[in-house]
Amino acid sequence: MESCIFCQIAGNEIPTAFILEDDLAVSFKDIEPRAPVHFLVIPRRHVASLNEARDPALLGHLLDFARQTAEKIGLEQYRLVINTGRDSGQAVFHLHLHVLGGRKLGWPPG
Ligand code: 5GP
Ligand code: ZN
């Protein structure tokens, strides 16, 4: 997906410092952080949203990758968010996990 911004990030077409990367996924800081720590985990392969995800192994990997990234930066308390669909707040239609932390997070989210 040439026009997809996260495909371009994953493919190094938009220079982005990865916190962690492997064959299947990359993680990097959100450009507009909503918490002192806010990074994204994305699959290298284009998947538009969780609704289009058909690979449980990949989904498990993304979850573990979020944990590994948090561990790498010493983040022990955090929240994972997967906005799915416009009404949830999804603006980029390439599956991504938000990982937020570094402050006390309110519940329920808005
Ligand atoms: P969504 O609203 O789709 O769940 O989240 C998309 C996230 O991607 C937003 O938090 C937004 O700040 C982030 N984002 C959008 N474009 C870029 C970019 O070019 N670089 C980075 N690092 N983050 C981006
Ligand atoms: Zn994409």
Side-chain angles (χ1 to χ4, degrees):
M1 273 255 173
E2 239 169 60
S3 59
C4 170
I5 191 156
F6 284 180
C7 280
Q8 291 176 328
I9 286 175
N12 283 314
E13 291 157 52
I14 297 175
T16 303
F18 297 144
I19 306 170
L20 212 59
E21 61 178 312
D22 71 6
D23 289 350
L24 297 176
V26 301
S27 55
F28 54 92
K29 286 183 179 173
D30 195 292
I31 203 168
E32 207 179 306
R34 304 298 180 132
V37 181
H38 184 180
F39 65 83
L40 302 172
V41 172
I42 67 170
R44 287 190 184 272
R45 171 161 36 103
H46 184 83
V47 178
S49 83
L50 189 58
N51 283 338
E52 282 72 36
R54 294 290 181 275
D55 185 345
L58 176 64
L59 292 173
H61 184 74
L62 295 173
L63 206 52
D64 189 63
F65 200 82
R67 181 196 57 74
Q68 284 182 52
T69 306
E71 189 175 287
K72 181 172 180 185
I73 63 173
L75 184 69
E76 292 183 349
Q77 303 187 62
Y78 50 90
R79 178 177 296 164
L80 265 61
V81 173
I82 305 177
N83 293 328
T84 306
R86 292 208 184 277
D87 282 356
S88 76
Q90 186 176 8
V92 177
F93 282 79
H94 178 129
L95 176 63
H96 52 280
L97 285 64
H98 294 262
V99 182
L100 299 137
R103 67 167 164 81
K104 191 163 171 55
L105 300 167
W107 189 261

